Amino acid sequence: MSGLRIEEYPDRLVVTLDRPEKRNAIDADLVAELHGVCAELEARPRLLLLTGGTAGIFAGGADIGQLRDRGRLDALAAINAGVFARIRALPLPTVAAVDGPALGGGAELAYACDLRVCTARAFFGQPEVRLGIIAGAGATHRLPALVGEARAKELLFTGRRVDAAEALRIGLVNRVVEEPDGLLPSANELLDEMAKGSTLALRLTKLAVDAPPAAHPHLDLVSQAVLFEDEEKRRRMTEFLERRRSR
């Protein structure tokens, strides 16, 4: 049985984790399905909205039953880390819409997205050290980039949970909506704003922001050179000048 519900639109995919009986725990089957989503978005780039829906759960973490039985070769295979890195590297921006808990691997899945929107009842946490492992699917480097090294270390060392208000204050999420019914509209609103831009400019902007410091300013210059020759750039700028003249 599929662990994902996928809705296709011309400019985006809306992907909903759909294992409510397992609190959307991330198991090997779900990882395989997420790889399928990535393959689709790599072949035909579109925006991505990733959510657990509005039933009070985003993802309760990795499937502990499977995790308990994994050995060192499984760890080296980067089962969860590999698909989260692939989500992070998707050509166009991604938004995680989080309702309820995003814990362990579930939180790392949210961090892999470019932006995060959550409900007031959402919370995030990395309890891995209490289970005898590390947060090995991205939190050790993505969380410091989001909230700073010292705060990330506190959260990783203690397993303390972060509620929605704190998540907004420390920059872990971009928006908090009070009611669950407002979650997906708010996330789609963010994507709607992105969709107003040039797809190629959006793609190259993401590539530049995610690039290592050593790539700058060379990557910026090459990206701009490509865009300066793009016909859509000329069209958009012509329309802008015409609107300004008509005022």
Side-chain angles (χ1 to χ4, degrees), residues 1-5 15-19 24 27 29-30 33:
M1 184 178 294
S2 175
L4 299 178
R5 285 188 285 112
V15 176
T16 303
L17 307 179
D18 192 25
R19 302 183 70 214
N24 290 339
D27 67 356
D29 290 336
L30 192 62
E33 291 184 60

Side-chain angles (χ1 to χ4, degrees), residues 2-9 12-18 30 32-41 46-51:
S2 175
L4 299 178
R5 285 188 285 112
I6 301 174
E7 302 167 72
E8 292 200 46
Y9 299 93
R12 74 196 61 174
L13 287 187
V14 178
V15 176
T16 303
L17 307 179
D18 192 25
L30 192 62
E33 291 184 60
L34 288 170
H35 275 296
V37 169
C38 290
E40 171 69 19
L41 291 174
R46 281 162 288 170
L47 302 165
L48 171 65
L49 172 53
L50 182 63
T51 183

Side-chain angles (χ1 to χ4, degrees), residues 155-195:
L155 298 177
L156 291 165
F157 294 167
T158 66
R160 180 173 70 81
R161 294 180 175 185
V162 174
D163 65 21
E166 183 180 1
L168 182 63
R169 179 172 57 81
I170 66 177
L172 188 57
V173 301
N174 299 87
R175 296 183 182 181
V176 175
V177 297
E178 289 301 317
E179 299 299 328
D181 287 349
L183 177 63
L184 297 184
S186 182
N188 275 301
E189 182 181 79
L190 265 179
L191 292 171
D192 291 341
E193 288 299 310
M194 297 177 202

Side-chain angles (χ1 to χ4, degrees), residues 87-93 114 202-210:
I87 290 169
R88 182 66 177 183
L90 286 172
L92 288 174
D114 295 301
L202 197 60
R203 184 169 181 174
L204 291 176
T205 298
K206 175 172 176 174
L207 189 66
V209 172
D210 287 345

Side-chain angles (χ1 to χ4, degrees), residues 104-120:
E108 290 176 302
L109 176 57
Y111 307 156
C113 293
D114 295 301
L115 302 176
R116 283 151 296 283
V117 178
C118 75
T119 63

